[in-house]
Short mmCIF file of all heavy atoms in Angstrom, two decimals:
data_model
loop_
_atom_site.label_atom_id
_atom_site.label_comp_id
_atom_site.label_asym_id
_atom_site.label_seq_id
_atom_site.Cartn_x
_atom_site.Cartn_y
_atom_site.Cartn_z
N THR A 172 -5.25 21.74 23.99
CA THR A 172 -6.15 22.57 24.83
C THR A 172 -6.46 21.91 26.17
O THR A 172 -7.27 22.43 26.94
CB THR A 172 -7.46 22.87 24.10
OG1 THR A 172 -8.11 21.63 23.77
CG2 THR A 172 -7.22 23.67 22.83
N GLY A 173 -5.84 20.77 26.45
CA GLY A 173 -5.89 20.24 27.81
C GLY A 173 -6.93 19.18 28.13
O GLY A 173 -7.12 18.85 29.30
N TYR A 174 -7.58 18.61 27.11
CA TYR A 174 -8.64 17.64 27.40
C TYR A 174 -8.12 16.42 28.16
O TYR A 174 -8.65 16.04 29.20
CB TYR A 174 -9.32 17.21 26.10
CG TYR A 174 -10.59 16.41 26.29
CD1 TYR A 174 -11.82 17.04 26.46
CD2 TYR A 174 -10.56 15.02 26.30
CE1 TYR A 174 -12.99 16.32 26.63
CE2 TYR A 174 -11.72 14.29 26.47
CZ TYR A 174 -12.93 14.93 26.64
OH TYR A 174 -14.08 14.20 26.82
N SER A 175 -7.06 15.80 27.65
CA SER A 175 -6.53 14.59 28.31
C SER A 175 -5.86 14.92 29.63
O SER A 175 -5.98 14.18 30.62
CB SER A 175 -5.56 13.85 27.39
OG SER A 175 -4.57 14.72 26.88
N SER A 176 -5.14 16.05 29.69
CA SER A 176 -4.48 16.43 30.95
C SER A 176 -5.51 16.78 32.02
O SER A 176 -5.32 16.48 33.21
CB SER A 176 -3.51 17.59 30.73
OG SER A 176 -4.17 18.70 30.16
N LEU A 177 -6.62 17.41 31.62
CA LEU A 177 -7.67 17.72 32.59
C LEU A 177 -8.34 16.44 33.08
O LEU A 177 -8.62 16.31 34.28
CB LEU A 177 -8.72 18.64 31.95
CG LEU A 177 -9.89 19.07 32.82
CD1 LEU A 177 -9.41 19.69 34.13
CD2 LEU A 177 -10.79 20.03 32.06
N ALA A 178 -8.56 15.48 32.18
CA ALA A 178 -9.14 14.20 32.58
C ALA A 178 -8.23 13.51 33.61
O ALA A 178 -8.71 12.90 34.58
CB ALA A 178 -9.34 13.30 31.37
N THR A 179 -6.92 13.63 33.41
CA THR A 179 -5.96 13.04 34.35
C THR A 179 -5.97 13.79 35.69
O THR A 179 -6.04 13.18 36.75
CB THR A 179 -4.54 13.08 33.75
OG1 THR A 179 -4.50 12.28 32.56
CG2 THR A 179 -3.51 12.55 34.74
N ALA A 180 -5.91 15.12 35.62
CA ALA A 180 -5.85 15.92 36.84
C ALA A 180 -7.10 15.73 37.71
O ALA A 180 -7.02 15.74 38.94
CB ALA A 180 -5.69 17.40 36.49
N LEU A 181 -8.24 15.54 37.07
CA LEU A 181 -9.49 15.37 37.81
C LEU A 181 -9.49 14.13 38.71
O LEU A 181 -10.15 14.11 39.74
CB LEU A 181 -10.68 15.30 36.84
CG LEU A 181 -11.13 16.62 36.22
CD1 LEU A 181 -12.13 16.36 35.09
CD2 LEU A 181 -11.73 17.55 37.27
N VAL A 182 -8.75 13.09 38.30
CA VAL A 182 -8.75 11.85 39.09
C VAL A 182 -7.52 11.71 39.97
O VAL A 182 -7.43 10.75 40.75
CB VAL A 182 -8.88 10.60 38.17
CG1 VAL A 182 -10.20 10.64 37.41
CG2 VAL A 182 -7.70 10.46 37.22
N LEU A 183 -6.58 12.65 39.86
CA LEU A 183 -5.43 12.61 40.76
C LEU A 183 -5.85 12.99 42.17
O LEU A 183 -6.76 13.81 42.35
CB LEU A 183 -4.35 13.57 40.27
CG LEU A 183 -3.46 13.14 39.11
CD1 LEU A 183 -2.58 14.30 38.66
CD2 LEU A 183 -2.62 11.93 39.48
N PRO A 184 -5.18 12.44 43.17
CA PRO A 184 -5.47 12.88 44.54
C PRO A 184 -5.07 14.34 44.72
O PRO A 184 -4.32 14.90 43.91
CB PRO A 184 -4.61 11.94 45.39
CG PRO A 184 -3.52 11.49 44.49
CD PRO A 184 -4.13 11.40 43.12
N GLU A 185 -5.54 14.98 45.78
CA GLU A 185 -5.24 16.39 46.01
C GLU A 185 -3.74 16.65 46.09
O GLU A 185 -3.26 17.72 45.74
CB GLU A 185 -5.92 16.86 47.30
CG GLU A 185 -7.39 17.17 47.13
CD GLU A 185 -7.63 18.26 46.09
OE1 GLU A 185 -7.10 19.38 46.27
OE2 GLU A 185 -8.34 18.00 45.11
N SER A 186 -3.00 15.65 46.55
CA SER A 186 -1.55 15.80 46.65
C SER A 186 -0.84 15.44 45.35
O SER A 186 0.38 15.55 45.25
CB SER A 186 -1.01 14.89 47.77
OG SER A 186 -1.34 13.53 47.49
N GLY A 187 -1.60 15.02 44.34
CA GLY A 187 -1.01 14.59 43.08
C GLY A 187 -0.52 15.76 42.24
O GLY A 187 -0.87 16.91 42.46
N SER A 188 0.31 15.43 41.23
CA SER A 188 0.84 16.47 40.36
C SER A 188 0.96 15.96 38.94
O SER A 188 1.20 14.77 38.70
CB SER A 188 2.21 16.95 40.85
OG SER A 188 3.16 15.90 40.78
N LEU A 189 0.78 16.87 38.00
CA LEU A 189 0.90 16.56 36.57
C LEU A 189 1.77 17.61 35.92
O LEU A 189 1.47 18.80 35.96
CB LEU A 189 -0.49 16.55 35.91
CG LEU A 189 -0.52 16.51 34.38
CD1 LEU A 189 0.03 15.19 33.87
CD2 LEU A 189 -1.94 16.73 33.87
N VAL A 190 2.88 17.17 35.32
CA VAL A 190 3.73 18.05 34.53
C VAL A 190 3.18 18.05 33.11
O VAL A 190 3.12 17.01 32.46
CB VAL A 190 5.19 17.59 34.53
CG1 VAL A 190 6.03 18.44 33.59
CG2 VAL A 190 5.77 17.64 35.95
#
Side-chain angles (χ1 to χ4, degrees):
T172 59
Y174 191 86
S175 52
S176 57
L177 180 54
T179 298
L181 284 169
V182 298
L183 282 173
E185 280 300 301
S186 59
S188 65
L189 169 66
V190 174

